[in-house]
Amino acid sequence: MPPGKRFVCIHGHFYQPPRENPWLETVETQDSAAPYHDWNERICAECYAPNGAARILNGKTQIARIVNNYARMSFNFGPTLLSWMREKATRTCHMVRDGERRSRERNRGHSSAMAQGYNHVIMPLANARDRDTQIRWGIADYEFTFGAPPEGMWLPETAVDSATLEALAANGIKFTVLAPHQCKSIRPLKDQGEWTPTPDATVDITHPYLVRFASGASIAVFFYNGPLSRAIAFNGLLNSGDNLVNGLKAAFKDNAQPQLVHVATDGETYGHHHKYGEMALAYALRLLEQDKVVKLTNYASFLEQFPPEFECAIAEDTSWSCMHGIERWRSNCGCNSGRGDWNQAWRAPLRTALDELRDALIPLTEQESGLLFKDVWAARDAYIQVILDRSPDSMDRFFAAHQAHTLSDSERVRALELMEMQRHALLMYTSCGWFFDEVSGIETVQVIAYAARVLQLSQQVFGDQAATLEPAFLARMAEAKSNILASGDGAQIYKKCVDSMELHLEQVAAHYAISSVFSSFADETELYCYKVRRISYEIHTSGRGRLALGRIRVDSAVTGHAQSFSFAVLHFGDQNITAAVKVYDDADARAFKAFSGEAANQVQRADFPEVIRLIDRFYGRADYSLTSLFSDDQRRIVQIILNSTLWDIENSLTTIYQDHSSLLHFLSQAGLPKPPALTIAAGFAINAGLRRVIEADTVDQAQLQSYLALAKADQVPLETPNLSYIADQRMKRAMIELEMSEGSLEMLERALVLARTLTQLPFELNLWQAQNLWYEILRTPDDQLTALTAEDRPRWKRDFDELGACLTFDTKAIRATEEPVAAAAD
């Protein structure tokens, strides 16, 4: 085949289900993701960030090159994942954008990034209005991220029907990608002869097809290589970059026609599902880039050069991950994620409950919106601009374009609550809620939480008109039976979810009040998606007892709903804390002042029983405690309380070990049984000692070696995951300090000594972030290293290269490369 006729495209679908608490708009701690805060953060560290700075190694397993895979592969990111990344993983987001920009330069101005429907709903199961909003929000998010409209759009789970494809075309999308079994039949465009069936994925997958509609609209479809994609995802083809390239090249047909060999998998395949998968991908992309016959491309570029010559009809209501079409998201079809002894009969009533809730909201929305919006559904489509930018200016532009008349402040709040209700009504259809095995699983609980938020907002917006919505929803959810006896059914899961998550502004005020005893707040502060302005605050102490009194105004940054509160917090030390909160207005000023004065006087007298009686009389109740705090802050404050106790325990166990270490050495050397209590003390003391050494500003190498020797001699298991994570973070901190020093030899020496020391640890370190920082410093122009004199530069180069060698760089090879990367993970 002549050069230039064989093309390869590797697509990654990067996506995580939205995990935000619907009332806080943030992802809370997920213990199963430890040592990371949550699964987004963990998968970002294992996959999204490494693909932006992937390593290519030499024969000695040293880093010879760092490349941005996003510049060479085809990809899409779920908009809800990008939303998290923009706030929590800004450097990774920068790498994605930089890779997209460079993909245009490599591919005739065509981007390798595709858009995606907003929150991963199964499009054939959505109603027409929701389907259009999903597409329009996905396009808007793409434009916000990459600064240009998308050419292609990835369909969640590649779930497809003709109506979805026509909606894509109507919104300017030129192509999508499907699985080969989703092609039903084909025929030439030129003569439009008989249709040729393509059963069992027998369609020619090396070129695109056109799907045409009676409306005159059309869209191109690429069918990816199924066997190769499965081999990458499940059968070990990604174990070697050479094998991956050989597999791709072997898929070309022996003819002279232009051909595209392309694969599509979850993007998480490259680094999360398969450790070092991003490195195998980087190596393969590099080999393909150097190939004289095969050319790397993306879908949009190939489509421009070789437009479809055949049209196709698709297999309606099909997907890439359910052999029964789209039944996995509405019935007990048999598809599951491993628990074959469970059933998924709960899927149908869950979907029915959500459909009935959505449909009941439509007439209420249209009735209420006439007082607020010119066209509520056009306003909903445009609301994505507010979601992307919640600044006052953005909201003003939204209302200027869509309000029925100039809205009052209270009307604006109601209008925003209506839009938020609709946003959560879309989020509650996120496909992951049906994908897995159990109705009480975290993904399904998440969509139930979105439904709970919808119901709360409907009560706020519609009042008594919404009174029947929750009972009807619960009645249907009761039909969704759990496989786990303790979980009961969907209605019980909903109630548990609401009890643990649902918030009103009073709970935010209580959180602020209790936190204020342990934290110092500015006059204006942000608590998740709320703004708190302090009106007054005073604290009175007597012994271990403390009384905090104050007044605050709490505003929702999302809807603008605001209220003022007064509070009283009584803390007796440790976890013994109680708080009272109630709505406050100017009419309460005199009474609150009198209460505050009397309560302060009683604190000075140390008469805390009387303080409690005063709080009960003024507030009527004092029913908030440490358990009322939002999850992450509750953990932080409990840790503050525990620190002194843990320090005492740590010292006690260390003393026990030190006093009896010679006996433990003897028992270890003699091969005699060791008392469990002494073994526990040794394990705690040695691991705690190692943690302290690694975390110290200056690492004591002799002490580190001593602890490692003791661990080996006394056969003490090291807490490898935790120690490795601490070491990684410590090296990252040293490299950040070096980068900020602008060429300080002193900071370079400190980083070098630390790197020499950490390389002696007897376990694998993930120094990825520190390596990125070293590489970024290497790329820093000489005139920006202002702390260096001309005489210092030879020493700087020598020591900096040794530091690079400690971080496993082939410094000679890496100095010869020119590809920039973002500095470090977030």
Side-chain angles (χ1 to χ4, degrees):
M1 178 181 292
K5 289 292 187 74
R6 291 188 170 189
F7 297 83
V8 168
C9 178
I10 299 174
H11 183 84
H13 164 53
F14 294 94
Y15 167 73
Q16 287 300 300
R19 295 186 165 97
E20 285 78 5
N21 178 313
W23 285 268
L24 297 178
E25 299 288 345
T26 193
V27 181
E28 296 180 290
T29 300
Q30 295 175 308
D31 292 324
S32 59
Y36 296 94
H37 177 271
D38 55 70
W39 278 104
N40 280 7
E41 185 178 286
R42 178 169 175 172
I43 297 171
C44 186
E46 294 174 350
C47 175
Y48 310 139
N51 273 287
R55 277 58 169 152
I56 295 177
L57 306 182
N58 63 16
K60 299 178 181 179
T61 67
Q62 296 172 311
I63 301 170
R65 192 176 182 89
I66 296 181
V67 297
N68 188 334
N69 284 344
Y70 300 118
R72 294 167 174 84
M73 69 186 297
S74 172
F75 65 90
N76 73 279
F77 270 86
T80 53
L81 173 58
L82 277 174
S83 174
W84 176 87
M85 289 173 62
R86 281 192 285 267
E87 181 179 352
K88 300 294 187 180
T90 53
R91 287 175 172 159
T92 302
C93 201
H94 170 73
M95 288 192 282
V96 172
R97 285 195 297 262
D98 184 62
E100 187 275 341
R101 177 187 58 78
R102 282 192 271 147
S103 78
R104 294 179 188 272
E105 297 170 358
R106 295 170 180 271
N107 291 286
R108 306 160 61 93
H110 295 286
S111 173
S112 290
M114 294 172 61
Q116 181 203 287
Y118 187 72
N119 65 279
H120 215 266
V121 307
I122 301 304
M123 298 292 261
L125 295 178
N127 67 22
R129 187 180 288 120
D130 287 359
R131 181 177 59 228
D132 285 344
T133 300
Q134 287 285 335
I135 294 169
R136 290 163 188 168
W137 282 17
I139 290 171
D141 187 88
Y142 183 100
E143 292 174 342
F144 183 84
T145 303
F146 300 117
E151 295 185 78
M153 178 170 279
W154 181 267
L155 292 173
E157 303 293 344
T158 75
V160 71
D161 62 357
S162 292
T164 297
L165 291 182
E166 188 167 11
L168 292 180
N171 283 278
I173 298 298
K174 297 178 181 178
F175 69 89
T176 191
V177 180
L178 300 176
H181 69 266
Q182 294 180 275
C183 183
K184 178 183 178 183
S185 57
I186 63 171
R187 68 178 179 182
L189 278 171
K190 189 173 182 180
D191 55 24
Q192 298 185 29
E194 293 294 319
W195 288 93
T196 301
T198 55
D200 303 319
T202 52
V203 64
D204 183 349
I205 53 180
T206 62
H207 57 81
Y209 295 83
L210 196 68
V211 179
R212 299 193 293 180
F213 307 100
S215 63
S218 63
I219 188 171
V221 175
F222 291 87
F223 296 100
Y224 65 77
N225 188 307
L228 267 179
S229 299
R230 287 190 292 274
I232 292 170
F234 306 115
N235 300 330
L237 190 59
L238 199 58
N239 293 344
S240 159
D242 287 307
N243 289 347
L244 176 56
V245 169
N246 292 337
L248 290 166
K249 292 175 70 173
F252 285 106
K253 297 183 176 183
D254 187 17
N255 63 51
Q257 298 299 313
Q259 297 179 51
L260 176 67
V261 169
H262 58 112
V263 292
T265 67
D266 286 337
E268 291 75 21
T269 300
Y270 304 107
H272 173 57
H273 299 317
H274 297 283
K275 191 173 184 180
Y276 306 127
E278 84 286 351
M279 294 171 62
L281 175 62
Y283 184 71
L285 290 170
R286 184 73 174 155
L287 290 179
L288 290 167
E289 199 170 40
Q290 296 170 339
D291 197 284
K292 302 298 183 184
V293 176
V294 173
K295 181 177 175 59
L296 274 176
T297 191
N298 62 33
Y299 289 115
S301 180
F302 188 89
L303 184 62
E304 180 194 46
Q305 296 174 73
F306 308 105
E309 296 181 359
F310 287 79
E311 67 176 313
C312 74
I314 61 161
E316 300 285 348
D317 293 339
T318 54
S319 68
W320 75 345
S321 51
C322 176
M323 62 183 297
H324 312 97
I326 54 174
E327 294 306 307
R328 188 170 193 154
W329 297 277
R330 64 180 175 187
S331 73
N332 184 24
C333 68
C335 290
N336 59 67
S337 50
R339 287 300 303 261
D341 55 327
W342 285 357
N343 72 75
Q344 287 74 51
W346 53 267
R347 288 174 177 161
L350 173 62
R351 181 161 293 277
T352 301
L354 297 182
D355 284 349
E356 289 173 346
L357 174 59
R358 176 201 62 198
D359 293 345
L361 290 172
I362 291 173
L364 294 175
T365 296
E366 292 177 341
Q367 177 183 327
E368 177 70 18
S369 68
L371 307 173
L372 302 169
F373 294 110
K374 291 180 284 189
D375 180 337
V376 68
W377 304 115
R380 187 180 76 166
D381 286 345
Y383 188 63
I384 182 61
Q385 301 301 333
V386 175
I387 296 169
L388 293 168
D389 175 10
R390 294 193 181 275
S391 68
D393 286 347
S394 175
M395 289 189 181
D396 287 345
R397 288 193 297 271
F398 170 74
F399 281 116
H402 297 283
Q403 62 190 353
H405 59 90
T406 302
L407 301 183
S408 66
D409 289 346
S410 62
E411 287 175 321
R412 281 176 67 126
V413 168
R414 199 161 78 253
L416 289 170
E417 288 175 340
L418 183 65
M419 289 293 102
E420 282 299 304
M421 183 194 73
Q422 285 294 326
R423 177 168 77 96
H424 286 87
L426 293 168
L427 288 170
M428 70 186 185
Y429 283 106
T430 301
S431 69
C432 311
W434 289 265
F435 190 86
F436 298 99
D437 293 350
E438 168 54 22
V439 67
S440 63
I442 57 173
E443 296 85 4
T444 310
V445 169
Q446 184 72 30
V447 303
I448 293 172
Y450 287 133
R453 180 65 171 143
V454 169
L455 286 163
Q456 183 194 43
L457 287 165
S458 71
Q459 285 286 336
Q460 293 171 201
V461 176
F462 305 131
D464 292 343
Q465 296 181 81
T468 62
L469 295 180
E470 186 177 52
F473 181 77
L474 288 174
R476 186 65 71 187
M477 288 294 290
E479 299 173 13
K481 305 299 182 183
S482 172
N483 293 285
I484 300 170
L485 184 63
S487 295
D489 56 45
Q492 293 170 265
I493 294 165
Y494 170 89
K495 290 174 183 175
K496 183 179 179 181
C497 167
V498 170
D499 286 345
S500 64
M501 297 178 73
E502 185 176 18
L503 295 177
H504 296 274
L505 293 185
E506 182 177 307
Q507 283 79 29
V508 180
H511 176 93
Y512 175 93
I514 296 170
S515 299
S516 73
V517 176
F518 302 93
S519 307
S520 178
F521 288 121
D523 288 343
E524 294 189 4
T525 190
E526 292 184 1
L527 284 178
Y528 302 96
C529 59
Y530 300 92
K531 297 177 181 178
V532 181
R533 181 169 62 85
R534 185 169 61 203
I535 301 170
S536 69
Y537 187 80
E538 55 190 86
I539 194 160
H540 306 278
T541 62
S542 179
R544 293 194 70 191
R546 287 189 290 176
L547 174 67
L549 301 165
R551 293 175 295 138
I552 55 175
R553 177 183 170 88
V554 181
D555 288 73
S556 167
V558 176
T559 66
H561 183 47
Q563 277 184 300
S564 294
F565 299 90
S566 72
F567 62 81
V569 184
L570 192 56
H571 183 215
F572 293 111
D574 292 339
Q575 80 282 8
N576 303 303
I577 193 166
T578 185
V581 176
K582 72 175 182 178
V583 174
Y584 175 92
D585 60 36
D586 291 341
D588 300 319
R590 181 176 297 178
F592 181 74
K593 183 177 180 180
F595 157 74
S596 298
E598 181 61 21
N601 288 336
Q602 297 304 326
V603 170
Q604 296 306 311
R605 297 188 181 101
D607 189 352
F608 286 103
E610 181 58 25
V611 174
I612 294 171
R613 283 191 288 271
L614 287 169
I615 292 173
D616 286 342
R617 281 201 299 270
F618 186 78
Y619 286 96
R621 69 191 194 284
D623 49 7
Y624 292 106
S625 66
L626 206 58
T627 60
S628 308
L629 290 170
F630 306 149
S631 174
D632 281 10
D633 285 310
Q634 184 183 89
R635 289 167 181 255
R636 177 182 61 82
I637 290 171
V638 168
Q639 190 60 51
I640 292 171
I641 294 170
L642 285 173
N643 278 342
S644 61
T645 302
L646 291 174
W647 182 257
D648 291 342
I649 294 171
E650 184 176 304
N651 285 338
S652 297
L653 288 172
T654 300
T655 299
I656 292 170
Y657 171 67
Q658 291 171 343
D659 290 346
H660 302 283
S661 58
S662 60
L663 174 60
L664 190 62
H665 301 337
F666 168 74
L667 294 173
S668 296
Q669 292 169 1
L672 296 173
K674 291 169 283 188
L678 197 53
T679 301
I680 291 171
F684 194 94
I686 290 173
N687 282 290
L690 283 169
R691 285 198 305 271
R692 286 197 301 269
V693 170
I694 295 170
E695 288 175 333
D697 287 339
T698 302
V699 176
D700 188 325
Q701 188 170 358
Q703 195 173 30
L704 181 74
Q705 288 297 330
S706 174
Y707 280 122
L708 291 175
L710 287 171
K712 184 176 181 180
D714 295 335
Q715 301 170 15
V716 172
L718 297 180
E719 297 172 358
T720 300
N722 191 34
L723 291 172
S724 176
Y725 183 79
I726 292 170
D728 300 342
Q729 295 301 307
R730 181 65 188 88
M731 192 69 232
K732 174 190 172 185
R733 190 166 80 242
M735 293 304 297
I736 290 173
E737 291 168 351
L738 177 59
E739 183 180 44
M740 295 176 65
S741 76
E742 298 180 339
S744 164
L745 287 174
E746 178 186 353
M747 298 308 298
L748 175 57
E749 176 66 18
R750 290 180 62 179
L752 180 55
V753 169
L754 177 64
R756 289 170 181 158
T757 303
L758 294 183
T759 55
Q760 299 173 28
L761 291 171
F763 46 77
E764 183 179 5
L765 297 177
N766 177 12
L767 298 174
W768 186 85
Q769 299 179 87
Q771 291 164 347
N772 282 358
L773 286 159
W774 182 91
Y775 189 73
E776 188 69 15
I777 296 169
L778 175 68
R779 297 298 176 199
T780 303
D782 287 347
D783 60 2
Q784 293 184 21
L785 299 175
T786 56
L788 285 179
T789 65
E791 293 77 15
D792 293 334
R793 292 188 182 278
R795 180 185 165 192
W796 169 273
K797 183 179 184 303
R798 183 194 69 222
D799 289 355
F800 190 74
D801 279 4
E802 184 185 349
L803 175 60
C806 289
L807 297 174
T808 70
F809 278 101
D810 176 347
T811 55
K812 184 176 181 180
I814 207 74
R815 283 183 178 276
T817 66
E818 298 180 353
E819 181 161 354
V821 297
D826 305 272

